[in-house]
PDB file of all heavy atoms in Angstrom:
ATOM      1  N   ARG I   1       3.019 -25.300 -62.983  1.00  0.00           N
ATOM      2  CA  ARG I   1       1.852 -25.691 -63.659  1.00  0.00           C
ATOM      3  C   ARG I   1       0.891 -25.862 -62.571  1.00  0.00           C
ATOM      4  O   ARG I   1       0.663 -26.823 -61.741  1.00  0.00           O
ATOM      5  CB  ARG I   1       2.073 -27.084 -64.270  1.00  0.00           C
ATOM      6  CG  ARG I   1       3.289 -27.295 -65.200  1.00  0.00           C
ATOM      7  CD  ARG I   1       3.096 -26.577 -66.556  1.00  0.00           C
ATOM      8  NE  ARG I   1       4.152 -26.788 -67.481  1.00  0.00           N
ATOM      9  CZ  ARG I   1       5.187 -25.961 -67.592  1.00  0.00           C
ATOM     10  NH1 ARG I   1       5.317 -24.815 -66.825  1.00  0.00           N
ATOM     11  NH2 ARG I   1       6.226 -26.225 -68.383  1.00  0.00           N
ATOM     12  N   ALA I   2      -0.005 -24.881 -62.496  1.00  0.00           N
ATOM     13  CA  ALA I   2      -1.073 -24.628 -61.375  1.00  0.00           C
ATOM     14  C   ALA I   2      -2.512 -24.778 -61.838  1.00  0.00           C
ATOM     15  O   ALA I   2      -2.878 -24.202 -62.890  1.00  0.00           O
ATOM     16  CB  ALA I   2      -0.856 -23.288 -60.645  1.00  0.00           C
ATOM     17  N   VAL I   3      -3.295 -25.583 -61.171  1.00  0.00           N
ATOM     18  CA  VAL I   3      -4.610 -25.786 -61.528  1.00  0.00           C
ATOM     19  C   VAL I   3      -5.529 -25.819 -60.271  1.00  0.00           C
ATOM     20  O   VAL I   3      -5.205 -26.291 -59.257  1.00  0.00           O
ATOM     21  CB  VAL I   3      -4.858 -27.160 -62.351  1.00  0.00           C
ATOM     22  CG1 VAL I   3      -4.429 -28.258 -61.540  1.00  0.00           C
ATOM     23  CG2 VAL I   3      -6.243 -27.124 -62.908  1.00  0.00           C
ATOM     24  N   GLY I   4      -6.753 -25.150 -60.423  1.00  0.00           N
ATOM     25  CA  GLY I   4      -7.683 -25.172 -59.272  1.00  0.00           C
ATOM     26  C   GLY I   4      -8.890 -24.516 -59.582  1.00  0.00           C
ATOM     27  O   GLY I   4      -9.196 -24.099 -60.673  1.00  0.00           O
ATOM     28  N   ALA I   5      -9.632 -24.147 -58.466  1.00  0.00           N
ATOM     29  CA  ALA I   5     -11.013 -23.525 -58.523  1.00  0.00           C
ATOM     30  C   ALA I   5     -10.837 -21.998 -58.362  1.00  0.00           C
ATOM     31  O   ALA I   5      -9.975 -21.516 -57.557  1.00  0.00           O
ATOM     32  CB  ALA I   5     -11.886 -24.091 -57.563  1.00  0.00           C
ATOM     33  N   GLN I   6     -11.756 -21.340 -58.901  1.00  0.00           N
ATOM     34  CA  GLN I   6     -11.770 -19.741 -58.724  1.00  0.00           C
ATOM     35  C   GLN I   6     -13.215 -19.355 -58.653  1.00  0.00           C
ATOM     36  O   GLN I   6     -14.126 -20.073 -59.223  1.00  0.00           O
ATOM     37  CB  GLN I   6     -10.958 -19.022 -59.823  1.00  0.00           C
ATOM     38  CG  GLN I   6     -11.613 -19.114 -61.220  1.00  0.00           C
ATOM     39  CD  GLN I   6     -11.006 -18.209 -62.162  1.00  0.00           C
ATOM     40  OE1 GLN I   6      -9.899 -17.703 -61.947  1.00  0.00           O
ATOM     41  NE2 GLN I   6     -11.444 -18.117 -63.446  1.00  0.00           N
ATOM     42  N   PHE I   7     -13.392 -18.181 -58.178  1.00  0.00           N
ATOM     43  CA  PHE I   7     -14.827 -17.556 -58.199  1.00  0.00           C
ATOM     44  C   PHE I   7     -14.554 -16.058 -58.378  1.00  0.00           C
ATOM     45  O   PHE I   7     -13.422 -15.500 -58.106  1.00  0.00           O
ATOM     46  CB  PHE I   7     -15.599 -17.888 -56.957  1.00  0.00           C
ATOM     47  CG  PHE I   7     -15.155 -17.283 -55.711  1.00  0.00           C
ATOM     48  CD1 PHE I   7     -15.600 -15.998 -55.366  1.00  0.00           C
ATOM     49  CD2 PHE I   7     -14.319 -17.855 -54.928  1.00  0.00           C
ATOM     50  CE1 PHE I   7     -15.179 -15.409 -54.120  1.00  0.00           C
ATOM     51  CE2 PHE I   7     -13.816 -17.370 -53.711  1.00  0.00           C
ATOM     52  CZ  PHE I   7     -14.308 -16.088 -53.297  1.00  0.00           C
ATOM     53  N   GLY I   8     -15.522 -15.406 -58.922  1.00  0.00           N
ATOM     54  CA  GLY I   8     -15.356 -13.999 -59.107  1.00  0.00           C
ATOM     55  C   GLY I   8     -16.642 -13.199 -59.394  1.00  0.00           C
ATOM     56  O   GLY I   8     -17.727 -13.849 -59.453  1.00  0.00           O
ATOM     57  N   GLY I   9     -16.477 -12.084 -60.053  1.00  0.00           N
ATOM     58  CA  GLY I   9     -17.617 -11.348 -60.518  1.00  0.00           C
ATOM     59  C   GLY I   9     -17.237 -10.028 -61.114  1.00  0.00           C
ATOM     60  O   GLY I   9     -16.185  -9.663 -61.233  1.00  0.00           O
ATOM     61  N   MET I  10     -18.330  -9.319 -61.635  1.00  0.00           N
ATOM     62  CA  MET I  10     -18.174  -8.109 -62.285  1.00  0.00           C
ATOM     63  C   MET I  10     -19.426  -7.181 -61.932  1.00  0.00           C
ATOM     64  O   MET I  10     -20.585  -7.727 -61.880  1.00  0.00           O
ATOM     65  CB  MET I  10     -18.097  -8.398 -63.765  1.00  0.00           C
ATOM     66  CG  MET I  10     -18.045  -7.023 -64.687  1.00  0.00           C
ATOM     67  SD  MET I  10     -17.544  -7.483 -66.382  1.00  0.00           S
ATOM     68  CE  MET I  10     -18.743  -8.750 -66.821  1.00  0.00           C
ATOM     69  N   LEU I  11     -19.143  -5.894 -61.571  1.00  0.00           N
ATOM     70  CA  LEU I  11     -20.159  -4.938 -61.294  1.00  0.00           C
ATOM     71  C   LEU I  11     -20.080  -3.788 -62.253  1.00  0.00           C
ATOM     72  O   LEU I  11     -19.006  -3.218 -62.407  1.00  0.00           O
ATOM     73  CB  LEU I  11     -20.036  -4.458 -59.856  1.00  0.00           C
ATOM     74  CG  LEU I  11     -21.024  -3.357 -59.384  1.00  0.00           C
ATOM     75  CD1 LEU I  11     -22.423  -3.858 -59.518  1.00  0.00           C
ATOM     76  CD2 LEU I  11     -20.595  -2.826 -57.981  1.00  0.00           C
ATOM     77  N   MET I  12     -21.135  -3.372 -62.848  1.00  0.00           N
ATOM     78  CA  MET I  12     -21.173  -2.343 -63.920  1.00  0.00           C
ATOM     79  C   MET I  12     -22.210  -1.209 -63.549  1.00  0.00           C
ATOM     80  O   MET I  12     -23.155  -1.503 -62.903  1.00  0.00           O
ATOM     81  CB  MET I  12     -21.540  -3.000 -65.300  1.00  0.00           C
ATOM     82  CG  MET I  12     -20.478  -3.982 -65.744  1.00  0.00           C
ATOM     83  SD  MET I  12     -21.211  -5.259 -66.763  1.00  0.00           S
ATOM     84  CE  MET I  12     -22.213  -6.196 -65.621  1.00  0.00           C
ATOM     85  N   ARG I  13     -21.792   0.016 -64.035  1.00  0.00           N
ATOM     86  CA  ARG I  13     -22.656   1.129 -63.840  1.00  0.00           C
ATOM     87  C   ARG I  13     -22.771   1.845 -65.143  1.00  0.00           C
ATOM     88  O   ARG I  13     -21.782   1.987 -65.843  1.00  0.00           O
ATOM     89  CB  ARG I  13     -22.306   2.012 -62.777  1.00  0.00           C
ATOM     90  CG  ARG I  13     -22.340   1.378 -61.305  1.00  0.00           C
ATOM     91  CD  ARG I  13     -23.743   1.205 -60.771  1.00  0.00           C
ATOM     92  NE  ARG I  13     -24.508   2.275 -60.783  1.00  0.00           N
ATOM     93  CZ  ARG I  13     -24.546   3.070 -59.700  1.00  0.00           C
ATOM     94  NH1 ARG I  13     -23.785   2.906 -58.745  1.00  0.00           N
ATOM     95  NH2 ARG I  13     -25.218   4.111 -59.759  1.00  0.00           N
ATOM     96  N   PRO I  14     -23.979   2.438 -65.546  1.00  0.00           N
ATOM     97  CA  PRO I  14     -24.028   3.243 -66.688  1.00  0.00           C
ATOM     98  C   PRO I  14     -23.280   4.631 -66.542  1.00  0.00           C
ATOM     99  O   PRO I  14     -23.216   5.181 -65.452  1.00  0.00           O
ATOM    100  CB  PRO I  14     -25.440   3.524 -66.910  1.00  0.00           C
ATOM    101  CG  PRO I  14     -26.087   3.380 -65.551  1.00  0.00           C
ATOM    102  CD  PRO I  14     -25.165   2.390 -64.806  1.00  0.00           C
ATOM    103  N   LEU I  15     -22.557   5.001 -67.595  1.00  0.00           N
ATOM    104  CA  LEU I  15     -21.846   6.184 -67.652  1.00  0.00           C
ATOM    105  C   LEU I  15     -22.438   7.226 -68.550  1.00  0.00           C
ATOM    106  O   LEU I  15     -22.132   8.497 -68.597  1.00  0.00           O
ATOM    107  CB  LEU I  15     -20.325   6.079 -68.065  1.00  0.00           C
ATOM    108  CG  LEU I  15     -19.312   7.058 -67.891  1.00  0.00           C
ATOM    109  CD1 LEU I  15     -19.262   7.536 -66.366  1.00  0.00           C
ATOM    110  CD2 LEU I  15     -17.996   6.769 -68.290  1.00  0.00           C
ATOM    111  N   GLY I  16     -23.424   6.722 -69.428  1.00  0.00           N
ATOM    112  CA  GLY I  16     -24.003   7.618 -70.326  1.00  0.00           C
ATOM    113  C   GLY I  16     -25.038   6.741 -71.118  1.00  0.00           C
ATOM    114  O   GLY I  16     -25.216   5.484 -70.886  1.00  0.00           O
ATOM    115  N   LEU I  17     -25.436   7.234 -72.273  1.00  0.00           N
ATOM    116  CA  LEU I  17     -26.400   6.368 -73.094  1.00  0.00           C
ATOM    117  C   LEU I  17     -25.771   5.252 -73.764  1.00  0.00           C
ATOM    118  O   LEU I  17     -26.346   4.166 -73.882  1.00  0.00           O
ATOM    119  CB  LEU I  17     -27.055   7.423 -74.167  1.00  0.00           C
ATOM    120  CG  LEU I  17     -28.068   6.737 -75.123  1.00  0.00           C
ATOM    121  CD1 LEU I  17     -29.291   6.302 -74.329  1.00  0.00           C
ATOM    122  CD2 LEU I  17     -28.453   7.665 -76.263  1.00  0.00           C
ATOM    123  N   ARG I  18     -24.478   5.399 -74.097  1.00  0.00           N
ATOM    124  CA  ARG I  18     -23.731   4.309 -74.686  1.00  0.00           C
ATOM    125  C   ARG I  18     -22.523   3.757 -73.941  1.00  0.00           C
ATOM    126  O   ARG I  18     -21.978   2.892 -74.385  1.00  0.00           O
ATOM    127  CB  ARG I  18     -23.249   4.856 -76.117  1.00  0.00           C
ATOM    128  CG  ARG I  18     -24.374   5.042 -77.165  1.00  0.00           C
ATOM    129  CD  ARG I  18     -23.695   5.517 -78.460  1.00  0.00           C
ATOM    130  NE  ARG I  18     -24.742   5.788 -79.496  1.00  0.00           N
ATOM    131  CZ  ARG I  18     -25.025   4.837 -80.366  1.00  0.00           C
ATOM    132  NH1 ARG I  18     -24.525   3.703 -80.268  1.00  0.00           N
ATOM    133  NH2 ARG I  18     -25.959   5.026 -81.255  1.00  0.00           N
ATOM    134  N   ALA I  19     -22.205   4.416 -72.816  1.00  0.00           N
ATOM    135  CA  ALA I  19     -20.941   3.968 -72.103  1.00  0.00           C
ATOM    136  C   ALA I  19     -21.328   3.453 -70.768  1.00  0.00           C
ATOM    137  O   ALA I  19     -22.321   3.688 -70.160  1.00  0.00           O
ATOM    138  CB  ALA I  19     -20.106   5.233 -71.968  1.00  0.00           C
ATOM    139  N   ASN I  20     -20.369   2.617 -70.210  1.00  0.00           N
ATOM    140  CA  ASN I  20     -20.469   1.904 -68.961  1.00  0.00           C
ATOM    141  C   ASN I  20     -19.114   1.927 -68.279  1.00  0.00           C
ATOM    142  O   ASN I  20     -18.083   2.015 -68.970  1.00  0.00           O
ATOM    143  CB  ASN I  20     -20.983   0.478 -69.088  1.00  0.00           C
ATOM    144  CG  ASN I  20     -22.186   0.342 -69.927  1.00  0.00           C
ATOM    145  OD1 ASN I  20     -23.189   0.435 -69.638  1.00  0.00           O
ATOM    146  ND2 ASN I  20     -21.971   0.223 -71.301  1.00  0.00           N
ATOM    147  N   TYR I  21     -19.090   1.752 -67.048  1.00  0.00           N
ATOM    148  CA  TYR I  21     -17.811   1.495 -66.323  1.00  0.00           C
ATOM    149  C   TYR I  21     -18.022   0.440 -65.218  1.00  0.00           C
ATOM    150  O   TYR I  21     -19.254   0.331 -64.920  1.00  0.00           O
ATOM    151  CB  TYR I  21     -17.235   2.787 -65.685  1.00  0.00           C
ATOM    152  CG  TYR I  21     -18.057   3.362 -64.545  1.00  0.00           C
ATOM    153  CD1 TYR I  21     -17.645   3.100 -63.183  1.00  0.00           C
ATOM    154  CD2 TYR I  21     -19.153   4.102 -64.758  1.00  0.00           C
ATOM    155  CE1 TYR I  21     -18.222   3.598 -62.190  1.00  0.00           C
ATOM    156  CE2 TYR I  21     -19.941   4.629 -63.668  1.00  0.00           C
ATOM    157  CZ  TYR I  21     -19.450   4.441 -62.408  1.00  0.00           C
ATOM    158  OH  TYR I  21     -20.132   4.936 -61.316  1.00  0.00           O
ATOM    159  N   GLY I  22     -16.966  -0.126 -64.717  1.00  0.00           N
ATOM    160  CA  GLY I  22     -17.249  -1.057 -63.634  1.00  0.00           C
ATOM    161  C   GLY I  22     -15.911  -1.774 -63.200  1.00  0.00           C
ATOM    162  O   GLY I  22     -14.811  -1.227 -63.563  1.00  0.00           O
ATOM    163  N   VAL I  23     -16.034  -2.647 -62.240  1.00  0.00           N
ATOM    164  CA  VAL I  23     -14.878  -3.403 -61.746  1.00  0.00           C
ATOM    165  C   VAL I  23     -15.171  -4.839 -61.883  1.00  0.00           C
ATOM    166  O   VAL I  23     -16.275  -5.284 -61.944  1.00  0.00           O
ATOM    167  CB  VAL I  23     -14.739  -2.968 -60.230  1.00  0.00           C
ATOM    168  CG1 VAL I  23     -14.399  -1.459 -60.058  1.00  0.00           C
ATOM    169  CG2 VAL I  23     -15.951  -3.446 -59.416  1.00  0.00           C
ATOM    170  N   ARG I  24     -14.064  -5.630 -61.857  1.00  0.00           N
ATOM    171  CA  ARG I  24     -14.118  -7.072 -62.001  1.00  0.00           C
ATOM    172  C   ARG I  24     -13.003  -7.726 -61.329  1.00  0.00           C
ATOM    173  O   ARG I  24     -11.927  -7.130 -61.064  1.00  0.00           O
ATOM    174  CB  ARG I  24     -14.139  -7.461 -63.445  1.00  0.00           C
ATOM    175  CG  ARG I  24     -12.939  -7.179 -64.315  1.00  0.00           C
ATOM    176  CD  ARG I  24     -13.131  -7.351 -65.663  1.00  0.00           C
ATOM    177  NE  ARG I  24     -12.111  -6.840 -66.564  1.00  0.00           N
ATOM    178  CZ  ARG I  24     -12.188  -6.537 -67.804  1.00  0.00           C
ATOM    179  NH1 ARG I  24     -13.274  -6.982 -68.577  1.00  0.00           N
ATOM    180  NH2 ARG I  24     -11.202  -5.991 -68.578  1.00  0.00           N
ATOM    181  N   GLY I  25     -13.242  -8.995 -60.838  1.00  0.00           N
ATOM    182  CA  GLY I  25     -12.261  -9.575 -60.078  1.00  0.00           C
ATOM    183  C   GLY I  25     -12.507 -11.100 -60.084  1.00  0.00           C
ATOM    184  O   GLY I  25     -13.549 -11.591 -60.137  1.00  0.00           O
TER     185      GLY I  25
END
């Protein structure tokens, strides 16, 4: 049973008019 603090983010780039791709962590 583990509890604590975290931080993170997400970076996105356009792949087309309707599509995107990216990374998150």
